[in-house]
Amino acid sequence: MSCDRILVTAKQLESVVSGLAEEIAAAYRNLDNIVALVMLDGARYFAKDLLANLDFPVEVVFIKASSYGSRTSSCGRVRIGASADLTNQIRGKHVLVIDDIYDTGLTLATLLNRLRDYQPQSIRTCVLLEKAIEHTQKIPIDFRGLIIEDAFVIGYGLDFDGRYRDLPFIASFSPKHACSAKNAHGA
Ligand code: XMP
């Protein structure tokens, strides 16, 4: 790969995701009314693989949250796009929030605050990655894949300006290295 450093390989991701699925299965297997709340767009790839590893039914709800735009550091504002149906989808249910990365924590904090208004039976959080930083907002993470260094990362759903989501691995990325998708794929 010519412009970024791979932090988590595709093979590592596979084993991290299946490990997380085992933990989640142990926690939820005997419960009914489970809703996976998947944060778009970044957690879409991760959630698809994670949920495919579970052997019991889970309702899936997608929720749009954005704080980054086309930059590589949080803008400090979070927009949550809640659907009109969210009350019915969440009230009385066991909600598992699935996000790609716990960075500053602003996005998850905003979402969790909002979710409590919908009176779920329980809320737990699952993130693929957590950055090893002092988080602006401390969030209880119930299921965590990997702790990574403080770098902007792309791949496996994570993007820069809408690009690089489809990389099968996680790589660090610096905009000054902004490269063609061809290079990022290691071509
Ligand atoms: P916060 O800072 O609110 O971030 O915890 C949560 C959301 O911001 C996005 N994010 C990133 N996206 N590379 C990305 O492509 C990163 O290094 C990164 N850090 C944060 C992501 O959508 C996450 O859910």
Side-chain angles (χ1 to χ4, degrees):
M1 184 167 199
S2 59
C3 55
D4 294 304
R5 196 159 50 89
I6 295 179
L7 301 183
V8 191
T9 64
K11 206 166 171 51
Q12 286 170 324
L13 282 170
E14 204 178 306
S15 107
V16 166
V17 171
S18 76
L20 279 173
E22 272 175 35
E23 284 182 48
I24 290 168
Y28 283 92
R29 182 165 279 125
N30 297 318
L31 299 179
D32 288 326
N33 295 324
I34 305 162
V35 177
L37 204 63
V38 179
M39 308 283 277
L40 297 177
D41 294 314
R44 188 194 288 272
Y45 292 54
F46 165 48
K48 178 174 171 286
D49 291 345
L50 183 69
L51 297 173
N53 271 278
L54 299 180
D55 57 359
F56 51 88
V58 174
E59 190 181 337
V60 182
V61 171
F62 295 102
I63 193 156
K64 181 92 178 164
S66 46
S67 66
Y68 270 80
S70 59
R71 299 150 43 156
T72 52
S73 62
S74 176
C75 65
R77 285 190 311 275
V78 176
R79 291 184 301 275
I80 305 275
S83 85
D85 268 356
L86 215 49
T87 307
N88 294 332
Q89 288 165 323
I90 284 178
R91 179 174 290 153
K93 310 261 181 78
H94 294 286
V95 176
L96 175 65
V97 174
I98 300 179
D99 204 359
D100 49 4
I101 188 165
Y102 171 24
D103 191 343
T104 64
L106 285 169
T107 307
L108 278 170
T110 307
L111 178 73
L112 294 178
N113 275 335
R114 179 85 74 90
L115 285 184
R116 290 190 188 100
D117 295 343
Y118 296 101
Q119 302 175 329
Q121 193 166 335
S122 69
I123 306 179
R124 282 191 259 204
T125 52
C126 171
V127 296
L128 175 66
L129 305 171
E130 173 174 343
K131 278 194 192 171
I133 59 169
E134 190 65 33
H135 306 289
T136 312
Q137 296 282 331
K138 305 247 182 315
I139 309 291
I141 302 293
D142 299 286
F143 309 100
R144 174 189 294 98
L146 290 168
I147 296 183
I148 57 159
E149 65 188 60
D150 183 14
F152 189 82
V153 289
I154 53 168
Y156 200 53
L158 290 145
D159 73 306
F160 175 73
D161 216 4
R163 288 174 289 155
Y164 310 116
R165 281 192 204 284
D166 59 333
L167 295 175
F169 47 77
I170 304 281
S172 61
F173 178 82
S174 158
K176 71 178 184 319
H177 288 146
C179 53
S180 70
K182 195 169 158 225
N183 282 343
H185 280 85

